[in-house]
Structures are given as structure tokens and as C-alpha cells.
Amino acid sequence: MGYCIYYLKPVLSLKGFKKKSVIYSISIDKNFRRKHHGENLLKESIKEMRINGISSILLYVNTENFPAIGLYEKMGFKIIKEIKDICGSKETCYEMELRIL
């Protein structure tokens, strides 16, 4: 029905390493959309990351993907900046972040 792929991104800070995570890809089969499966998948993924000591989660989303942006904002993600060519050639995406610790 869907999946969430993320990876750890250790970041050096004054207090040592912070564990950040980047959601590389999240998707729900089109037959299961608009039934809260995406929200539930994201909630469970965030819960798992919190248990593993992740301090914040980053993701990149196309600026035209309004349903996904709405979901991420509902879950507490904030738009950090616009980035070109990271989601695809000649595409503009938002970098979004959720601080969880």
C-alpha cells in the first residue's frame, strides 16, 4: 500500500554529532490515497525516528505538490527554503524540516 524510505544524516555541532534524518521517498499507492494512510505512515515513521534519537527530519517536496505539502505542514514540518534541481532537472522543491527532540 505504501512505503517510507529515509536515511540518517549525522551533523557535527558544538555538542558533538546530532542525528538528523532525511526522508528520501514516501509514497502511497493511488488506490489507497485520501484515506489517511499517508498520514499514518508518516506518523509511524516519525515515531520510529524519535525512538532512535533523531533530532530533526528533513524532506524535499516539489513546490507544485500541494497535497503533500499540506500533509507535511499538518504534521508540523516547516518550509526552510526553495531549492532548484534537487528533486529533478529544472524542478523547484521546498526543503522542509520537522524538529522532534
Side-chain angles (χ1 to χ4, degrees), residues 40-68:
N40 291 334
L41 175 60
L42 192 54
K43 281 180 183 177
E44 288 301 314
S45 298
I46 292 168
K47 187 188 308 182
E48 180 179 302
M49 290 180 226
R50 183 177 282 126
I51 289 169
N52 287 300
I54 301 299
S55 62
S56 70
I57 303 167
L58 298 170
L59 60 80
Y60 301 92
V61 60
N62 189 297
T63 57
E64 302 296 316
N65 191 343
F66 302 114

Side-chain angles (χ1 to χ4, degrees), residues 3-101:
Y3 65 85
C4 179
I5 300 170
Y6 64 91
Y7 61 89
L8 298 179
K9 180 181 178 179
V11 177
L12 186 59
S13 73
L14 295 174
K15 297 180 181 181
F17 281 102
K18 286 185 178 181
K19 288 170 46 176
K20 290 191 174 193
S21 181
V22 178
I23 294 178
Y24 176 75
S25 180
I26 185 167
S27 182
I28 297 294
D29 182 278
K30 65 181 177 182
N31 296 316
F32 293 93
R33 292 181 188 160
R34 303 200 187 284
K35 298 175 184 170
H36 301 284
H37 296 301
E39 183 177 340
N40 291 334
L41 175 60
L42 192 54
K43 281 180 183 177
E44 288 301 314
S45 298
I46 292 168
K47 187 188 308 182
E48 180 179 302
M49 290 180 226
R50 183 177 282 126
I51 289 169
N52 287 300
I54 301 299
S55 62
S56 70
I57 303 167
L58 298 170
L59 60 80
Y60 301 92
V61 60
N62 189 297
T63 57
E64 302 296 316
N65 191 343
F66 302 114
I69 293 166
L71 172 61
Y72 301 144
E73 288 179 331
K74 179 180 177 181
M75 300 299 297
F77 284 83
K78 305 285 185 220
I79 295 173
I80 304 301
K81 60 185 170 184
E82 263 188 36
I83 302 176
K84 293 188 184 287
D85 299 324
I86 196 167
C87 295
S89 180
K90 299 181 183 174
E91 289 189 35
T92 303
C93 290
Y94 291 128
E95 179 180 71
M96 300 183 77
E97 180 178 32
L98 173 66
R99 295 186 179 168
I100 58 176
L101 286 182

